Amino acid sequence: MFSKTKIILSIVFFLNLTGFISIYADKNCDVLAYASDTDPNGVNLRESAKGKVLTSIPDGSHISITAAKDGWFQIKSFEYMVETDAEKKMAKSKKHKLDAEESNVNVENYKAWIHGSRVSIHFSGWWPEVTMHTAPNEKSKVLFKFTNEQYSKPTQIISCEGKWFQVKVNGKVGWVDKFCYSSRTNCS
């Protein structure tokens, strides 16, 4: 007979293998951001926090984040535009599949980790005001409100939960759910 503990561990192991949960994550998320790094070799994506480098992606690549733990973010996909011959050569050297027009790379179902110092968002966009909360929900206490023009520079992310990012703005740490995840546009 199986004990309750063995059954529960088997279910958790199955859910992790199928991508439903991440055993290593403190927080589960479903948010978009962009990779940010001035290194010409790109931003490293790793098999685990501090683990082996799997590949690298260019500065400004869109990433889909599924989990956060200890300053690291797990991603499930990445996408970037390819505009120059050098970018096309880099994409091919990293075995990132280009679309038919060879102008875009879109990689889905890719489990990797990126360090939080390499993940950004900004607040330029269609909403006139952003509200920073004490917790990742609309009913939590409001820390302060600001206009997107006041803080339009790239913002480093501390953590994430659900559709929310924890960020530091104006010396305060709080949670926001209105942000721009594109390095190339203002999301308006």
Side-chain angles (χ1 to χ4, degrees):
M1 253 356 239
F2 287 106
S3 70
K4 284 183 183 180
T5 304
K6 285 183 182 178
I7 292 171
I8 290 170
L9 287 174
S10 297
I11 291 170
V12 168
F13 180 73
F14 172 76
L15 291 173
N16 184 50
L17 285 178
T18 58
F20 281 75
I21 64 168
S22 175
I23 291 174
Y24 304 107
D26 284 339
K27 309 272 185 182
N28 287 315
C29 318
D30 184 16
V31 286
L32 299 172
Y34 59 91
S36 180
D37 195 344
T38 56
D39 185 338
N41 295 318
V43 181
N44 290 334
L45 300 181
R46 299 177 179 273
E47 66 182 0
S48 61
K50 300 179 187 176
K52 180 181 128 193
V53 174
L54 299 171
T55 191
S56 61
I57 55 178
D59 179 55
S61 297
H62 294 172
I63 54 177
S64 179
I65 298 174
T66 59
K69 181 173 175 72
D70 299 331
W72 289 82
F73 294 90
Q74 184 180 51
I75 68 164
K76 68 177 178 181
S77 66
F78 61 86
E79 179 179 18
Y80 60 91
M81 294 176 68
V82 179
E83 299 175 316
T84 66
D85 288 338
E87 290 171 339
K88 191 180 296 185
K89 184 178 178 181
M90 184 183 115
K92 288 180 178 180
S93 74
K94 299 195 178 297
K95 297 183 173 84
H96 298 167
K97 187 176 179 187
L98 292 158
D99 65 4
E101 294 83 32
E102 294 197 340
S103 63
N104 196 55
V105 170
N106 187 358
V107 178
E108 298 287 331
N109 301 315
Y110 191 85
K111 188 175 179 180
W113 289 82
I114 182 172
H115 191 266
S117 64
R118 303 293 183 253
V119 178
S120 279
I121 56 171
H122 62 88
F123 299 107
S124 298
W126 56 268
W127 52 92
E129 187 174 71
V130 177
T131 303
M132 182 180 279
H133 293 266
T134 57
N137 67 68
E138 289 285 334
K139 294 180 181 178
S140 66
K141 180 181 173 189
V142 173
L143 286 173
F144 74 101
K145 295 181 180 191
F146 57 92
T147 64
N148 59 24
E149 289 87 22
Q150 289 175 299
Y151 300 101
S152 60
K153 295 182 205 171
T155 301
Q156 186 177 333
I157 301 162
I158 298 167
S159 188
C160 60
E161 186 172 326
K163 301 276 185 195
W164 293 72
F165 275 125
Q166 185 182 38
V167 296
K168 185 173 186 177
V169 174
N170 199 27
K172 296 182 182 191
V173 175
W175 294 86
V176 295
D177 67 343
K178 291 179 178 52
F179 48 84
C180 183
Y181 63 86
S182 176
S183 65
R184 296 178 182 251
T185 71
N186 64 3
C187 294
S188 50

